[in-house]
């Protein structure tokens, strides 16, 4: 349920991966590419996995979440390639017995993704400039 892909992400499909009768809820997060960043108009954002280790980065995040929160299941999908404003770059879905622990776990997962961005990220702006980002925003 951890996936790095070039394919368009479907939040419904990711949610379906963790939905089960033992859970009281499924909380999801859908990350989008913004049209503005650093006060500039965004033309595209490119995520790459040149070292082929992004999947390991996502696995580490999921492992940390599972240790800290009493969740039942978790799916984490990250799209790589050139994405345009409005495109989905990550989908996280977490099932748990109760909404509080699921919300907390999901927020922590997003924060860890931004802190430990497992892929490289380059923002390209409509003015022709670009920024290699060490962390996602």
């Amino acid at each position: 349920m951890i996936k790095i892909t070039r394919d368009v992400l479907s939040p419904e499909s990711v949610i379906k991966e963790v939905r089960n009768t033992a859970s009281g809820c499924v909380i999801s997060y859908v990350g989008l590419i913004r049209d503005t960043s650093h006060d500039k108009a965004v033309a595209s954002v490119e995520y790459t996995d040149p070292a082929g280790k992004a999947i390991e980065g996502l696995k580490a995040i999921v492992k940390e979440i599972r240790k800290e929160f009493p969740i039942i299941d978790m799916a984490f999908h990250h799209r790589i390639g050139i994405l345009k404003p409005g495109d989905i770059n990550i989908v996280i879905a977490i099932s748990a017995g109760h909404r509080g622990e699921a919300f907390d776990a999901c927020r922590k997962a997003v924060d860890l993704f931004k802190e430990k961005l497992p892929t490289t990220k380059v923002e390209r702006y409509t003015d022709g400039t670009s920024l290699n980002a060490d962390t996602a925003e």
Side-chain angles (χ1 to χ4, degrees):
M1 292 199 250
I2 298 167
K3 186 180 202 179
I4 302 289
T5 184
R6 292 186 172 280
D7 298 333
V8 172
L9 297 176
S10 165
E12 296 83 8
S13 295
V14 179
I15 290 168
K16 188 184 268 187
E17 290 181 10
V18 301
R19 186 176 174 183
N20 58 69
T21 59
S23 301
C25 66
V26 173
I27 300 299
S28 64
Y29 174 82
V30 177
L32 304 173
I33 303 301
R34 288 188 296 253
D35 64 0
T36 305
S37 182
H38 304 284
D39 297 321
K40 294 183 178 189
V42 173
S44 66
V45 175
E46 183 175 14
Y47 292 96
T48 58
D49 183 15
K53 295 184 179 182
I55 198 82
E56 295 305 318
L58 294 185
K59 285 179 181 178
I61 291 170
V62 170
K63 184 177 181 181
E64 188 168 336
I65 295 300
R66 286 185 175 281
K67 281 176 58 176
E68 188 172 339
F69 299 95
I71 64 171
I72 294 171
D73 213 344
M74 181 172 178
F76 199 136
H77 294 205
H78 178 31
R79 184 175 174 196
I80 61 173
I82 298 173
L83 285 69
K84 302 291 184 189
D87 286 346
I88 298 172
N89 67 331
I90 64 170
V91 178
I92 300 169
I94 297 174
S95 62
H98 303 282
R99 68 184 179 276
E101 56 215 19
F103 274 116
D104 292 344
C106 193
R107 181 182 187 94
K108 177 75 178 242
V110 174
D111 290 346
L112 288 171
F113 177 79
K114 290 176 178 271
E115 284 173 25
K116 302 177 180 191
L117 185 63
T119 50
T120 61
K121 177 183 175 187
V122 177
E123 290 183 347
R124 291 186 178 82
Y125 307 106
T126 58
D127 68 2
T129 62
S130 63
L131 174 69
N132 291 334
D134 291 332
T135 59
E137 294 188 5

